[in-house]
Amino acid sequence: MQPADRSEGMTMDLDFTAEERAFRAEVRSFLRDHLPAAVRHKVLNGICLEREDYLAWQRVLHARGWGGPSWPVAFGGTGWGPVRQYLFDDACAEAGAPRLVPFGLKMVAPVLMAFGSAAQQQRFLPPILAGEAWWCQGYSEPGAGSDLAALRTRAVRDGEHYVVNGQKTWTTFAHYADWMFCLVRTDPAAKPQRGISFLLIDMSSPGIRVRPIRTLDGAHEVNEVWLEGVRVPVANLVGEENRGWTYAKFLLGHERSNIAGIGIARRELARLKRIARSETGDGRPLLEAPLFAARVARVEIELMALEITNLRVLSAEAEQRAPGVEASILKIRGSEIQQEIFALMTEALGLQALPYDREAMAAGYAGDCPLPVHARTPTSQYLNMRKLSIYGGSNEIQRNIIARSMLGL
């Protein structure tokens, strides 16, 4: 993308440069040659991925030198700027590649790079890059979700260990995780934000129990995690004791990067159109029905508008200008557009959207099924997508940020 030309006021060139277009072509070529067909089939048809699907893809990227698209070269990353990261994510989504697991790559890793000790960086970063370790996020608790400063999980110093007791909830893929980065209260007498520390906890430690929480679609993605007398070496404290709130806020800034999900939304919009061409009403494809076609066109226009907003943010980042309230706009509209796309899919399928057996699909059921392949998963995805309004900072919180920062309310 070309830098903004200040001599002409507020103009901004959102076209990609020849070098950036060549890079995108290189990524697409790599994906054609190296993305496993079985994994691509799962992603493009909304079938659940397993732990090994994600980690195996991470290892493929690592072998190519692309394991850390957002990491600096000094830590083994690509050193790409925001535009190349966007093009990479977009091409991967388009091709049906798994999303990179964010908990290690995009969340705890930047914290370790900025605030971790040299020993912590040497121990924990390489396995993340190589697809050898899975992390989960120990932030939310019962009564401490959006109000994270209200967390009550306690860590008490005992010699060279902390003893941790408490409960975390909505912990995504804790049942897959080898490690958890965890916020704990180390000074209950301090102000809520000042008595929190950031610990790295081995999930195989005695005293940890993981219990599944089934989501609306019957999936097992999130969990309750109980910590009862868990001993954590003091060496696993990141930064300074009682300064965890600073590191937590730093991490959340990275969590919201590329949160608009433009590439995924564009891929699912194309899938919606394929479904609407296959389904018929009044003797013609549903996509040709004026009312339904108008709704598809509307969501496509909204997606185009969001992409332009996203490109403006990228252009600003390329000029070393940090995004502000725009990140909240991207989060809200990105989640709403994806939810609308899956709502239209279920409407296009009509009664075919009703029957669904997640356990049978997850077990690889390949027997007779009264439904076409394209009708078997949109309902579960529609239900699963309800979570987009909550994670990464709920949409209500994002609207409050916009109201204060942009509208002065």
Side-chain angles (χ1 to χ4, degrees):
M1 303 176 77
Q2 303 287 355
D5 184 353
R6 299 298 176 202
S7 67
E8 297 178 5
M10 297 300 292
T11 60
M12 186 176 292
D13 187 350
L14 298 179
D15 288 338
F16 296 113
T17 65
E19 183 182 357
E20 289 162 349
R21 291 194 294 272
F23 169 76
R24 179 167 57 187
E26 180 186 1
V27 174
R28 286 173 170 169
S29 175
F30 174 81
L31 290 165
R32 280 194 298 272
D33 294 338
H34 294 85
L35 177 61
V39 172
R40 172 186 164 86
H41 172 78
K42 284 185 177 181
V43 173
L44 295 184
N45 290 284
I47 299 171
C48 292
L49 297 174
E50 302 297 330
R51 182 180 191 270
E52 183 56 25
D53 292 325
Y54 291 104
L55 293 180
W57 180 236
Q58 176 65 29
R59 291 194 288 271
V60 170
L61 294 176
H62 179 55
R64 175 62 181 81
W66 291 349
S70 58
W71 288 25
V73 174
F75 290 104
T78 62
W80 292 338
V83 176
R84 285 200 172 205
Q85 291 177 44
Y86 170 80
L87 291 172
F88 177 78
D89 288 343
D90 192 59
C92 287
E94 176 187 56
R99 295 190 71 171
L100 299 183
V101 181
F103 311 107
L105 281 170
K106 295 186 177 181
M107 297 169 78
V108 72
V111 173
L112 291 174
M113 293 174 195
F115 306 105
S117 66
Q120 289 171 341
Q121 292 168 355
Q122 292 168 9
R123 178 181 180 188
F124 294 113
L125 293 179
I128 294 173
L129 206 58
E132 297 171 350
W134 190 298
W135 288 75
C136 65
Q137 181 184 37
Y139 272 27
S140 295
E141 299 181 5
S146 295
D147 183 17
L148 198 54
L151 68 87
R152 294 184 294 179
T153 293
R154 285 281 282 125
V156 178
R157 183 76 177 262
D158 180 20
E160 290 305 307
H161 289 80
Y162 289 100
V163 180
V164 181
N165 286 281
Q167 180 191 357
K168 298 295 178 179
T169 193
W170 306 120
T171 312
T172 304
F173 292 131
H175 55 302
Y176 286 170
D178 304 295
W179 288 86
M180 168 192 282
F181 52 91
C182 187
L183 293 181
V184 295
R185 187 161 298 284
T186 41
D187 184 356
K191 291 184 178 179
Q193 290 88 348
R194 295 183 180 176
I196 294 172
S197 296
F198 193 106
L199 290 183
L200 311 176
I201 300 179
D202 185 341
M203 289 295 284
S204 66
S205 303
I208 294 180
R209 288 188 293 123
V210 177
R211 191 165 68 181
I213 300 174
R214 295 286 175 182
T215 47
L216 277 175
D217 57 326
H220 178 196
E221 290 183 0
V222 294
N223 303 271
E224 292 177 316
V225 179
W226 298 84
L227 303 109
E228 297 169 338
V230 178
R231 297 185 69 81
V232 180
V234 172
N236 288 5
L237 170 71
V238 175
E240 299 178 30
E241 189 176 272
N242 297 327
R243 292 205 60 196
W245 188 254
T246 298
Y247 315 141
K249 289 193 298 181
F250 178 85
L251 182 151
L252 288 173
H254 286 266
E255 182 184 15
R256 290 169 189 154
S257 63
N258 199 22
I259 201 165
I262 299 293
I264 294 174
R266 192 186 299 117
R267 180 187 71 211
E268 298 305 328
L269 178 63
R271 182 179 167 205
L272 165 63
K273 289 181 178 179
R274 291 196 300 272
I275 291 173
R277 288 191 190 97
S278 300
E279 300 298 321
T280 57
D282 297 327
R284 61 180 177 179
L286 188 58
L287 194 58
E288 296 178 8
L291 291 178
F292 193 85
R295 294 179 63 189
V296 174
R298 177 173 179 169
V299 76
E300 185 165 12
I301 292 168
E302 291 175 343
L303 177 57
M304 293 170 65
L306 184 67
E307 183 173 15
I308 291 172
T309 301
N310 200 33
L311 293 175
R312 291 171 61 192
V313 172
L314 289 175
S315 179
E317 290 181 339
E319 297 179 345
Q320 306 299 312
R321 289 186 288 126
V325 72
E326 294 90 345
S328 296
I329 296 172
L330 294 175
K331 198 280 174 175
I332 294 172
R333 293 303 296 138
S335 59
E336 290 176 342
I337 286 172
Q338 289 190 58
Q339 289 172 339
E340 176 64 10
I341 289 172
F342 282 103
L344 287 169
M345 279 191 203
T346 57
E347 288 191 37
L349 292 169
L351 293 176
Q352 294 182 103
L354 287 176
Y356 176 74
D357 189 333
R358 167 170 285 278
E359 286 73 18
M361 295 292 292
Y365 175 74
D368 293 336
C369 179
L371 301 177
V373 172
H374 69 249
R376 296 178 187 176
T377 56
T379 301
S380 67
Q381 291 179 283
Y382 164 79
L383 294 171
N384 190 278
M385 287 297 107
R386 302 302 96 191
K387 70 187 180 188
L388 295 185
S389 305
I390 301 173
Y391 75 37
S394 71
N395 285 3
E396 287 78 9
I397 296 292
Q398 303 307 317
R399 287 190 172 90
N400 284 341
I401 293 172
I402 294 170
R404 287 196 302 267
S405 303
M406 185 173 283
L407 304 177
L409 299 176

